[in-house]
Amino acid sequence: MTKLKRMLLAAALGLPFAGQAMAQTKIEGLHVWTSASEVGALKVITDKLKTMGFEWQDSAVGGANGANAQQALRTRVAAGNPPAVMQFLGFEGLGWAKEGVLRSLNDLYAKNGWKAALPPVMLQFLQQDDTFFSTPINMHRQNWVWANKAVFDKAGIAIPTSWDELIASAEKLKAIGVTPIAMSDESWQIEELFESMLIDVNGPDFYKKAAIDLDETALSSPEMIKTFELLGKVRGLHDAGFTGRDWAAATNLVANGQAGMQIMGDWAKGEFLAKGMKPGVDFLCFPTPTATPNYKFVFDTFGGFKIKNADIEKGQDAVAEAIMDPEVQKKFNLIKGSIPARLDVAMDDFDDCAKRSFSDRVAAIKNNAIYGSLTDGFAVEPRFSGVFQDVVGKFFVTDMSAEDAVKSLVDGINNAR
Amino acid sequence: MSRSTPLSNRIENWLPRLVLAPSLLVVLVAVYLFICWTGWISLSSSMIVPKYDFVGLNQYVRLWSTPRWHTAVFNLFVFSTLFLALTTGLGLLMAILLDQKIRVEGTLRAIFLYPMALSFIVTGTAWKWILNPALGVQKVVNDLGWTSFVFDWIAQPTFAIYCVVIAAVWQSTGFAMAIFLAGLRGIDNSVIKAAQIEGASLPRIYRTIVVPMLRPAFLSVIVLLSYIAIKSFDLILALTNTGPGSATEMPSTFMYSATFRRDQMGVGAASAMMMLMTVAAIIVPYLYSELKESRDGQ
């Protein structure tokens, strides 16, 4: 039934549609979005939901990279009181789907043809045994370099085409008294850098073998040692005050011109935009340098728990429909800094970084060069990505050798299997 | 209990037990039952949610083959030892000095005690800035002209744990001092006077008479500080967030990340059991000896 038909029918029957004058069903959503841009973006979804006759009951649990929200959710599922919908990142949703507590959205997917509208590589995170359980709202790209244009011009640096070139340009930045790379000693931020090197230097196929299939031959290969050696060259290219630095504080060092560049996902873009800086004019965004162009993604999805209540079920469907609405995806991502999950949203209103992200994604899908981010939980389950994080973090802040790093990586992965 | 006891006596016997029963029940359920539950989970294959199967000691093997756990255990040992020794020592020294009938004792006491009123989160955040080489002590000294001065322990994986010790000692010394001071006030002055008449020097009086009399105060301080040391979770999160590169991991932070971030609930439970056994191994004999002696003394 099309929208128009439904409206005509509703008008003919004299029924109030869009839930006006009716008490709106409350739909509780548990999520981790607490920053200004995140809250603003979420409002796009909840406003849409209102027009569909449902009221969003907000349960935001911030902090600890989503661990607190996970804990809250586990407690509530165990108590038999799950929220109507929950935000999932990476493998979280799959874990719950395996427990058999999530509602199937197969009918909606079939009815609306959503499967065809999404990048195929996303689907493995949205379904379990051919049952769709969640809908994606956006896609962040993980492998970006953010640079201060004025600093780059002053140091006379062009956009690097390889990691060796990028590391060599650090000398020029040092010469003009700027910290070459804005970093933190937090393991996950170092891992963002490492996983970009891993795919850039060895190619997407190797990345899949090592970081997704966890193939032991790939993990203990000379390529892996080479990657660690490359990461070792970045030691000392940061400033002394990098201890415990928040990623956003690192982004601000670049924005203020105290540092040349930062390797971070496109959630960093919001920091530049908030300062009124323009992409291409005040700051540069370019993919991490490589001879084999690739795209690493992170995205947010929402899924619904099985709750025996017809109104709630309708609400869960409404949330899925609101999220997959092209207009909602556009408005949401303009605020959030990511790009729409759907492949069919017009990108005219977006900035150059987002447009680049979108066109690179199209190319990467064609070339089989699009994979989930290791750091942000879209490559392997957390117990494995945690091992990468431990080893990479320790390697970077100590004088550990690349061979030892690879050995403890292989041991750690095998221990977590 | 014989039948001849009057009812009032019986009520008197049972009333305290009746009053205490609810809280005893709560403790039994909330503490001991869940300790057993954790023990059971540590023997299961639990990942995201609890599973009640049995895989033997697999999770313990997995735990002890994790290098980060070794770091955590080593750190707990270093941290607890230094923290207990320094806090107890400094606290006792400050209490003795304050006990010398000085003029502004009340003010000083308040100043020394004040850090205890701050949460570990606040302490950790403040010390994070103080110890940061680009913001804190090192920068101040460098700006004053001593440019070669380096104090970047917090950025050094080998020394970062000592930064945690510094912050924790700063936080808890006043608290130890307050307990010792209360203990010192409880000591009869005539004992000290008698010793002085005998011609003993003040340090010797303290060493041989006063400090041994402070045993109950020591017991309280050590038990309370051990508990602070083992659960030192918030301080680590605020000060170093287990960095640099998991160099300041502690069993408590390890347990949290295994259980809630890495979906290894079984490993998390196993680490919790290890912590429990460690605490029990240290505290139980100590408490036993302390309590036994006080009973013998009566």
Side-chain angles (χ1 to χ4, degrees), chain A residues 154-226:
Chain A
K154 190 178 168 192
I157 303 173
I159 288 179
T161 54
S162 72
W163 274 99
D164 288 334
E165 218 175 289
L166 189 146
I167 290 166
S169 71
E171 290 308 316
K172 289 182 181 169
L173 289 165
K174 270 188 190 161
I176 61 163
V178 169
T179 304
I181 302 180
M183 286 187 71
S184 161
D185 68 345
E186 288 186 337
S187 299
W188 74 268
Q189 295 190 52
I190 297 164
E191 198 193 356
E192 297 274 3
L193 178 67
F194 173 82
E195 70 161 290
S196 298
M197 291 176 167
L198 186 63
I199 194 167
D200 289 343
V201 176
N202 308 304
D205 293 344
F206 181 85
Y207 179 82
K208 181 177 184 298
K209 275 198 208 94
I212 294 173
D213 303 340
L214 298 174
D215 176 275
E216 197 167 336
T217 325
L219 285 173
S220 47
S221 66
E223 282 89 346
M224 208 76 197
I225 294 177
K226 202 172 67 185

Side-chain angles (χ1 to χ4, degrees), chain B residues 42-43 54-62:
Chain B
S42 74
L43 300 172
F54 181 79
V55 294
L57 294 175
N58 266 359
Q59 306 286 20
Y60 289 87
V61 173
R62 196 168 278 176

Side-chain angles (χ1 to χ4, degrees), chain A residues 88-162:
Chain A
F88 294 125
L89 264 168
F91 288 84
E92 288 168 18
L94 288 166
W96 290 110
K98 277 179 197 149
E99 299 288 337
V101 292
L102 299 182
R103 249 190 89 218
S104 161
L105 299 172
N106 277 1
D107 300 351
L108 285 175
Y109 266 85
K111 190 176 84 183
N112 298 304
W114 285 342
K115 195 172 163 179
L118 295 169
V121 69
M122 266 186 160
L123 303 177
Q124 57 179 317
F125 293 99
L126 307 173
Q127 57 181 353
Q128 166 74 29
D129 300 335
D130 298 328
T131 304
F132 282 100
F133 58 81
S134 69
T135 44
I137 178 76
N138 63 348
M139 188 179 269
H140 278 286
R141 184 183 195 167
Q142 177 270 329
N143 50 331
W144 282 111
V145 182
W146 305 92
N148 185 309
K149 189 164 186 308
V151 170
F152 262 44
D153 291 346
K154 190 178 168 192
I157 303 173
I159 288 179
T161 54
S162 72

Side-chain angles (χ1 to χ4, degrees), chain B residues 14-57:
Chain B
W14 278 98
L15 193 64
R17 291 173 208 187
L18 270 177
V19 171
L20 283 175
S23 56
L24 185 69
L25 192 72
V26 168
V27 168
L28 279 178
V29 171
V31 178
Y32 294 98
L33 182 76
F34 280 103
I35 285 177
C36 297
W37 183 83
T38 307
W40 187 12
I41 292 293
S42 74
L43 300 172
S44 76
S45 65
S46 301
M47 303 279 272
I48 293 193
V49 285
K51 266 223 239 21
Y52 300 107
D53 54 354
F54 181 79
V55 294
L57 294 175

Side-chain angles (χ1 to χ4, degrees), chain B residues 67-77 249-254:
Chain B
R68 211 162 44 96
W69 172 248
H70 290 253
T71 313
V73 172
F74 175 77
N75 279 343
L76 180 66
F77 178 74
E249 191 80 55
M250 288 275 217
S252 55
T253 54
F254 180 96

Side-chain angles (χ1 to χ4, degrees), chain B residues 224-240:
Chain B
L224 287 165
L225 290 183
S226 312
Y227 158 74
I228 290 176
I230 284 159
K231 74 169 181 62
S232 58
F233 177 80
D234 38 7
L235 178 65
I236 302 272
L237 282 198
L239 184 64
T240 60

